[in-house]
Every structure is written in structure tokens, then in C-alpha cells.
Amino acid sequence: MKSLTAIPVFNEARHVEAVLREVRRYSPHILVVDDGSTDGTAALLAREPGIAVITHPHNRGYGSALISAFRFALEQDIDVLVTMDCDGQHEPSRIPVLLEAIHDADIVSGSRYLRDFRQDSLATPQDRRQINEQITAELNERFGLALTDAFCGFKAYRREALARLHITETGWGMPLQLWVQAARAGLRIKEVGVPRLYLDPNRAFGGVLDDPSERLAYYRSVIDAAAAPACSSCCRGECR
């Protein structure tokens, strides 16, 4: 089974070298999607041997970086794609756990709330946890899922699962569109516990999404759009 680990980055010059050094221990094939970094990340990536890099000319959003990773994986001879963040929240040593779990699943998703770990951060941002709980519960109720963490970006996807997803959401709400599509496609979903790590609990989303009420409304709009019936081509989506 050939796997690829994809890491979306935006202004991660502080972390990218250490993260890649650790990822190399568990993944021989690595893709970094630089989503328009302006802090020197690109120069650091240029010095990293043996990795693939996709560079967005400007910041397009978290979802857009993962769309690029999905497309790259489907174009390559890859059986399983692992995705993880570059801000220290995801431990590369957990990559083998995701790969082992995918033997009877189409998507394996890390969950920070499935179980407790001794290294869990004590300072979990309260608004993030509350919104996660609300959105996770709404997804479970509407689409018959059994998730405990709708937003964890530490995942493994079978190639066949990627081919059945058609992600268009370019922002932070991308995982929600993914869950709606996965549920409707009948994909086998499994969660595995991962530590709850927040190295910078004050890290911002940016813009209006720093307001929890605006963020919750945005997330719900992504779910509603993903759940809406497909438009016919004649209306160009105006029926929504």
C-alpha cells in the first residue's frame, strides 16, 4: 500500500522544518501545499529534499489547499492519502495508526474527543470546542453519522474515496462539505483518537470568522449548501 502525507501550510516558517523532519520518520512520500505563504516558508521548503511542493500564488484558503492535495493524490500512484496540519496540533507518530485503521474503512479521521491522552492541552479554546460539539451533533443528526470531532484535519483517505468526493469549499468549512458528501456516498468512516494539542490557543481564523457567532453561521451555511439538491446546469446555481 503506497501512501502519501499531504500538509497544507500558510505562513508556517516557525514549524515547517521540525514537522517535516518528524513526518519523514513515518512517511516516505510527502506533499506540501504552500497556500500563498509570505513569511519565508517557501524558501524553507525549497531547501527540503525529496518532497513534492504545490505553491498557490496567493492565499486561497484551507479547503483550497486540500483540494490541490486531493487532485495531486489522484494523479499519482497513491493508494492512501494522509492529511495533517503543520502547526503542531497533529503528531506525525500517529500516521501509522491512521494507516492501520483504514484496512476496513474509506476515511479514517482523527478525533480529539474520542478519548483523553496524557499530553492533551489543558487550555482548549472554549468557543472552538462548543462550536465543534454543536456542528458535530447537527451533522450526526441530519446525515446519520456517528462523529465525535467534525473538524480534525488529521485524516486518511482511500484513493477510491477521494474519487467519489467533489470538494469545492475553499475555506475552513471544507470538512463539513466533505462529511455531507461522504455520508451521501455511503463511505465507511472510522474515527481514531488523537491528542488534543493547542500550541497556540489564541491562533485566529482571520476576518469575520474570529467572531464565534459568525463562524457558526458560516459552518451551517456550508452544510446547507452541501445538502441542497444539485442544480441543473441551466440555472448556473442561481436556484440556491
Side-chain angles (χ1 to χ4, degrees):
M1 181 176 67
K2 184 177 180 180
S3 65
L4 168 74
T5 298
I7 310 170
V9 302
F10 175 63
N11 290 347
E12 294 289 0
R14 288 174 53 198
H15 301 290
V16 67
E17 290 178 301
V19 169
L20 285 173
R21 187 163 53 248
E22 189 68 11
V23 171
R24 288 181 190 276
R25 298 178 58 193
Y26 304 98
S27 179
H29 306 288
I30 301 171
L31 167 70
V32 178
V33 182
D34 181 3
D35 191 32
S37 295
T38 58
D39 68 340
T41 295
L44 294 175
L45 291 174
R47 299 203 297 262
E48 291 284 345
I51 66 170
V53 178
I54 294 174
T55 302
H56 292 173
H58 58 271
N59 182 243
R60 298 177 184 173
Y62 175 75
S64 182
L66 288 177
I67 290 169
S68 291
F70 287 4
R71 185 183 303 117
F72 181 91
L74 287 170
E75 291 171 350
Q76 308 298 315
D77 183 25
I78 298 297
D79 300 307
V80 177
L81 173 69
V82 174
T83 61
M84 60 171 290
D85 295 345
C86 192
D87 58 2
Q89 285 197 52
H90 302 154
E91 296 180 326
S93 62
R94 305 280 168 181
I95 292 173
V97 177
L98 271 66
L99 294 176
E100 181 180 357
I102 207 165
H103 75 279
D104 61 350
D106 297 306
I107 300 175
V108 175
S109 186
S111 172
R112 296 159 291 183
Y113 306 111
L114 191 63
R115 51 164 290 198
D116 293 330
F117 291 82
R118 59 176 176 76
Q119 64 265 51
D120 283 348
S121 296
L122 298 178
T124 301
Q126 192 60 31
D127 64 303
R128 296 191 187 190
R129 181 156 190 171
Q130 289 176 344
I131 290 174
N132 192 331
E133 290 176 350
Q134 286 180 265
I135 291 297
T136 299
E138 291 173 20
L139 284 169
N140 290 341
E141 181 177 357
R142 291 181 65 175
F143 304 102
L145 297 171
L147 302 173
T148 60
D149 187 349
F151 289 97
C152 184
F154 205 179
K155 288 183 170 63
Y157 306 82
R158 284 188 178 275
R159 178 187 188 87
E160 296 81 3
L162 290 178
R164 298 182 67 183
L165 299 173
H166 305 283
I167 304 302
T168 58
E169 173 56 44
T170 60
W172 292 110
M174 170 269 183
L176 310 180
Q177 184 186 47
L178 184 152
W179 289 130
V180 175
Q181 292 187 8
R184 288 190 162 175
L187 298 181
R188 298 169 300 166
I189 298 165
K190 180 191 294 187
E191 286 187 314
V192 296
V194 297
R196 191 166 53 252
L197 304 175
Y198 289 96
L199 301 188
D200 182 4
N202 297 315
R203 189 166 180 146
F205 288 89
V208 297
L209 295 188
D210 287 337
D211 181 330
S213 61
E214 293 283 352
R215 194 159 72 248
L216 180 60
Y218 158 62
Y219 290 153
R220 285 174 169 158
S221 73
V222 171
I223 296 172
D224 289 342
C231 298
S232 62
S233 59
C234 62
C235 73
R236 301 181 185 278
E238 294 175 1
C239 64
R240 294 185 185 179

